Short mmCIF file of all heavy atoms in Angstrom, two decimals:
data_model
loop_
_atom_site.label_atom_id
_atom_site.label_comp_id
_atom_site.label_asym_id
_atom_site.label_seq_id
_atom_site.Cartn_x
_atom_site.Cartn_y
_atom_site.Cartn_z
N LEU A 101 -12.27 -70.03 4.34
CA LEU A 101 -12.96 -69.39 3.22
C LEU A 101 -12.06 -68.29 2.68
O LEU A 101 -11.71 -67.36 3.39
CB LEU A 101 -14.30 -68.81 3.67
CG LEU A 101 -15.13 -68.06 2.63
CD1 LEU A 101 -15.42 -68.94 1.42
CD2 LEU A 101 -16.42 -67.55 3.25
N ASN A 102 -11.67 -68.41 1.41
CA ASN A 102 -10.77 -67.45 0.78
C ASN A 102 -11.52 -66.68 -0.29
O ASN A 102 -11.94 -67.23 -1.30
CB ASN A 102 -9.58 -68.19 0.16
CG ASN A 102 -8.54 -67.25 -0.38
OD1 ASN A 102 -8.79 -66.07 -0.62
ND2 ASN A 102 -7.34 -67.76 -0.60
N LEU A 103 -11.69 -65.38 -0.05
CA LEU A 103 -12.37 -64.49 -0.99
C LEU A 103 -11.42 -63.40 -1.49
O LEU A 103 -11.86 -62.34 -1.93
CB LEU A 103 -13.60 -63.88 -0.31
CG LEU A 103 -14.66 -64.92 0.11
CD1 LEU A 103 -15.64 -64.33 1.09
CD2 LEU A 103 -15.36 -65.49 -1.10
N HIS A 104 -10.13 -63.65 -1.42
CA HIS A 104 -9.09 -62.71 -1.81
C HIS A 104 -9.29 -62.22 -3.24
O HIS A 104 -9.48 -62.99 -4.17
CB HIS A 104 -7.73 -63.41 -1.70
CG HIS A 104 -6.57 -62.57 -2.12
ND1 HIS A 104 -5.73 -61.99 -1.22
CD2 HIS A 104 -6.11 -62.21 -3.34
CE1 HIS A 104 -4.80 -61.32 -1.87
NE2 HIS A 104 -5.01 -61.43 -3.16
N GLY A 105 -9.24 -60.90 -3.41
CA GLY A 105 -9.26 -60.32 -4.74
C GLY A 105 -10.61 -60.36 -5.45
O GLY A 105 -10.69 -60.05 -6.63
N THR A 106 -11.64 -60.75 -4.73
CA THR A 106 -12.97 -60.72 -5.33
C THR A 106 -13.53 -59.32 -5.15
O THR A 106 -12.97 -58.50 -4.43
CB THR A 106 -13.91 -61.73 -4.66
OG1 THR A 106 -14.07 -61.38 -3.28
CG2 THR A 106 -13.38 -63.15 -4.77
N LYS A 107 -14.64 -59.03 -5.75
CA LYS A 107 -15.27 -57.72 -5.58
C LYS A 107 -16.33 -57.79 -4.48
O LYS A 107 -17.36 -57.13 -4.55
CB LYS A 107 -15.85 -57.24 -6.89
CG LYS A 107 -14.76 -56.94 -7.89
CD LYS A 107 -15.28 -56.41 -9.19
CE LYS A 107 -14.09 -56.14 -10.11
NZ LYS A 107 -14.49 -55.66 -11.40
N LEU A 108 -16.03 -58.58 -3.47
CA LEU A 108 -16.95 -58.75 -2.34
C LEU A 108 -17.23 -57.42 -1.66
O LEU A 108 -16.32 -56.64 -1.41
CB LEU A 108 -16.33 -59.72 -1.32
CG LEU A 108 -17.17 -60.01 -0.08
CD1 LEU A 108 -18.35 -60.89 -0.44
CD2 LEU A 108 -16.32 -60.66 0.99
N THR A 109 -18.50 -57.18 -1.37
CA THR A 109 -18.92 -55.97 -0.65
C THR A 109 -19.57 -56.40 0.66
O THR A 109 -19.74 -57.59 0.93
CB THR A 109 -19.94 -55.16 -1.46
OG1 THR A 109 -21.14 -55.95 -1.62
CG2 THR A 109 -19.39 -54.75 -2.82
N ASP A 110 -19.96 -55.42 1.44
CA ASP A 110 -20.65 -55.71 2.70
C ASP A 110 -21.90 -56.53 2.48
O ASP A 110 -22.21 -57.44 3.25
CB ASP A 110 -21.03 -54.41 3.42
CG ASP A 110 -19.84 -53.71 4.04
OD1 ASP A 110 -18.73 -54.28 4.02
OD2 ASP A 110 -20.02 -52.60 4.56
N GLU A 111 -22.63 -56.21 1.42
CA GLU A 111 -23.87 -56.93 1.13
C GLU A 111 -23.61 -58.43 0.94
O GLU A 111 -24.32 -59.27 1.47
CB GLU A 111 -24.53 -56.35 -0.12
CG GLU A 111 -25.85 -56.98 -0.48
CD GLU A 111 -26.47 -56.39 -1.73
OE1 GLU A 111 -25.88 -55.49 -2.36
OE2 GLU A 111 -27.57 -56.84 -2.09
N GLY A 112 -22.58 -58.75 0.19
CA GLY A 112 -22.25 -60.15 -0.04
C GLY A 112 -21.75 -60.84 1.22
O GLY A 112 -22.14 -61.97 1.52
#
Side-chain angles (χ1 to χ4, degrees):
L101 178 57
N102 186 341
L103 298 164
H104 178 104
T106 62
K107 293 182 179 178
L108 180 72
T109 64
D110 286 354
E111 183 180 1

